[in-house]
Structure formats: C-alpha cells, structure tokens
Amino acid sequence: IPKTYRVTVLGEPTDKVLNTLRNGVVLDDGYKTIPCDVSIRSTDDERSVLEITIYEGKNRQIRRMCEAVGLEVTLLKRERIGKISIGNMPVGEFRKLEDSEIEYLQSLQ
C-alpha cells in the first residue's frame, strides 16, 4: 500500500530537484531510494507543501531524501487513507469483487 506524506519545505523546489526526488536519491550512506511520486500542493513566498508518495520506506527516509537535494523540511505528516474494508466476510472466505469495489481500490493507487 503506498504511503503519502505532506512535506512542508522552505522555498520553492526547482524542476530539477523534483525530478531528482521522483527518480530516486542517493543518500549519504550510499543507499538509493526507489522512485516516488512528487507533486507541489501549494506554494507561497516562504514555503512549499509537497505531496510525496512512496511504496517502500519510512518518514525518516522522506526527510533524508529532501535534505539530500537541498530542501529544508519544516513539517512532515503522513496522510491517512483509513481502513480498507470489503464487506463483512469471515477470515479465509473469498468472493468475486464488485465493480464498485474494484474502482475504489484502484482509486487508492
């Protein structure tokens, strides 16, 4: 399940910085992060709010990624999507998903 974070950074990141984040960043310990989705949610004169979605890793990795490309993080918050529930099925029971359930699950990606 992807994890989405709202990251507030000082200034406005350039396209080069955003592309570096999207393609993976080599951290100071030599570890290269996997590619992620990055978009700017809002920006003003002093700071920008980024939305970063990763498929592996933890929030401390998000902070390290941003610092590795020269962004100073002032706030980092994970977005919660809530609990995924598909009907009232007992554990171990299977059934075919309804089209609406499939659409809902696809919208989470």
Side-chain angles (χ1 to χ4, degrees):
I1 295 177
K3 300 174 200 170
T4 300
Y5 296 88
R6 296 264 172 148
V7 185
T8 303
V9 298
L10 293 179
E12 185 175 349
T14 63
D15 288 338
K16 182 179 178 182
V17 166
L18 294 176
N19 286 332
T20 301
L21 286 172
R22 288 181 184 120
N23 293 321
V25 178
V26 178
L27 303 175
D28 55 1
D29 60 1
Y31 175 78
K32 183 174 183 200
T33 63
I34 62 170
C36 60
D37 298 326
V38 180
S39 62
I40 296 179
R41 301 296 292 179
S42 65
T43 188
D44 61 30
D45 292 337
E46 298 176 11
R47 62 181 178 238
S48 299
V49 177
L50 307 178
E51 186 173 89
I52 300 176
T53 302
I54 59 173
Y55 300 91
E56 292 179 19
K58 301 184 184 310
N59 65 351
R60 68 177 172 265
Q61 187 176 27
I62 295 289
R63 184 176 298 276
R64 290 178 65 205
M65 287 168 54
C66 291
E67 290 171 353
V69 295
L71 297 175
E72 184 177 340
V73 176
T74 60
L75 182 63
L76 174 64
K77 183 178 178 183
R78 176 149 183 222
E79 294 293 307
R80 302 277 180 195
I81 61 168
K83 201 175 205 181
I84 298 174
S85 176
I86 302 177
N88 296 321
M89 295 186 341
V91 174
E93 184 177 307
F94 300 93
R95 69 172 171 78
K96 183 177 178 181
L97 295 177
E98 302 291 330
D99 289 341
S100 61
E101 294 169 329
I102 293 170
E103 288 173 14
Y104 171 72
L105 291 172
Q106 289 173 335
S107 74
L108 296 176
Q109 295 183 347

